[in-house]
Amino acid sequence: MLSEKMQEALNTQLNKETYSAYLYMSMSAYSTYIGLKGFANWFMVQYQEEMMHAMKIYDYINDQGGQVKLMAIERPLAEFKSPMDMFEKTLEHEKFITRSINELVDLAIAEKDHATNIFLQWYVTEQIEEEGNDNEIISKLKLVGEDGNGLLMIDKELAMRVFTPPATSEASQA
Ligand code: FEO
């Protein structure tokens, strides 16, 4: 069972995850527009990941007998200065999400809501991976700098990313 405060905080996080999906869909669209199909693929997979993050919260609120209340989704940026700009903004956004997850954990602990605390641990771990991925790509982009061939090599690499849906047992645990 969820307290009113926890339910509201989880609904807010559901909105932030959905916005994240929307932001990465926008980056995917922009990547396609500037001819970087690999970047477009990477961001579209990220969109799918974020929708999965959102739906896990949606399912959790329902499983706990709470009420899902959807909110307006903020309009994301439509244009970016460069691939580096997109990844810097991605990392900045993920740091914001990490802070938000940490605050949720703090609330769960304060309320002695053990179930929600356990549920949120998946997100704590996921955020390490998310920030790690972004840092790695930013490092590569720094290495290639203005070199167009280097950028195309990164584009090829990012084209390989595939979305792996979570295993059923993992999904039902969370
Ligand atoms: Fe769902 Fe990228 O945090």
Side-chain angles (χ1 to χ4, degrees), residues 17 24 46 50 53 94 97 127 130:
E17 299 290 348
Y24 300 136
Q46 195 59 30
E50 298 300 349
H53 297 175
E94 289 306 325
I97 295 292
Q127 283 310 115
E130 297 248 322

Side-chain angles (χ1 to χ4, degrees), residues 60-99:
Y60 179 73
I61 295 172
N62 284 332
D63 287 347
Q64 288 283 33
Q67 187 178 6
V68 169
K69 293 179 187 174
L70 299 181
M71 303 169 196
I73 304 166
E74 199 186 317
R75 179 179 173 175
L77 286 173
E79 300 213 336
F80 304 89
K81 291 190 208 102
S82 60
M84 179 65 103
D85 183 39
M86 285 193 282
F87 272 98
E88 281 175 347
K89 286 191 165 64
T90 296
L91 179 60
E92 194 184 313
H93 181 68
E94 289 306 325
K95 286 181 176 172
F96 162 73
I97 295 292
T98 300
R99 286 195 295 276

Side-chain angles (χ1 to χ4, degrees), residues 6 9 13-14 20 31-32 49 60 63 65 67 86 89 91 96 113 129 132 135 141 150 153-154 164 170:
M6 183 55 79
Q13 189 64 33
L14 169 54
S20 304
S31 299
T32 300
E49 290 245 337
Y60 179 73
D63 287 347
Q67 187 178 6
M86 285 193 282
K89 286 191 165 64
L91 179 60
F96 162 73
D113 182 345
E129 191 187 316
N135 276 317
L141 286 169
M153 274 178 63
I154 296 176
T164 316
E170 188 195 355

Side-chain angles (χ1 to χ4, degrees), residues 98 101-102 105 117-131:
T98 300
I101 295 289
N102 288 340
V105 173
N117 188 8
I118 291 168
F119 168 72
L120 290 169
Q121 297 310 307
W122 183 89
Y123 288 84
V124 172
T125 309
E126 180 73 4
Q127 283 310 115
I128 299 170
E129 191 187 316
E130 297 248 322
E131 288 189 30

